[in-house]
Amino acid sequence: MYSRAVYADVVREVHDELAQRIDAVTAEGVDPSMIVLDPGLGFSKNPAARGPDAHNWQLLAGLRELATIGGRDFPVLVGASRKRYLSRLFDAEGAEPRPFLENDAATAAITAISAAAGAWCVRVHRVPANADAVRVAAAYRAAARS
């Protein structure tokens, strides 16, 4: 899967792929109001924690750009819960990889970032902490608008 993680500009290329998929399904009669976009965090993306190949982080930073296709804003689903790229933030050089179950706090942080960026939905394993993160992001967005 990681051998396909070759992008000149991951946000632009994922955006363009999503646009192609939207064109294909709407040409078959799907109502655009029924479409939810998923940037595919972790799938054919370099799991690097930092640097120019940190595809998942670039996609999170580009959520607003990913959502706008053809002059229309689509809802975006973020599925970041317990992904390997979160573990990579905490892995020490040469150490055993951090267990995925220890990434729930980092997942809540991603949930807050995603919600603040306007994500429509997040897929998570532990709901209560992530629901709190969404409430924090909503308060932040409300304050930013006023």
Side-chain angles (χ1 to χ4, degrees), residues 34-135:
M34 302 302 293
I35 297 173
V36 175
L37 304 179
D38 182 345
L41 298 178
F43 295 95
S44 295
K45 311 297 185 297
N46 186 325
R50 296 168 192 82
D53 291 328
H55 298 147
N56 297 295
W57 295 106
Q58 292 170 12
L59 289 169
L60 284 168
L63 283 181
R64 291 183 204 273
E65 180 182 340
L66 290 169
T68 304
I69 296 178
R72 181 186 183 114
D73 287 334
F74 287 89
V76 176
L77 166 70
V78 174
S81 186
R82 298 182 180 170
K83 295 279 179 136
R84 181 174 313 278
Y85 78 96
L86 292 175
S87 294
R88 296 274 168 96
L89 278 175
F90 310 106
D91 290 348
E93 188 69 34
E96 285 292 315
R98 181 179 183 168
F100 295 123
L101 293 176
E102 293 180 17
N103 288 332
D104 289 333
T107 296
I110 296 299
T111 294
I113 290 167
S114 299
W120 168 77
C121 183
V122 292
R123 186 209 35 89
V124 300
H125 290 87
R126 301 279 184 207
V127 174
N130 287 279
D132 287 352
V134 169
R135 289 182 189 100

Side-chain angles (χ1 to χ4, degrees), residues 135-146:
R135 289 182 189 100
V136 167
Y140 168 82
R141 283 181 62 146
R145 283 192 295 264
S146 61

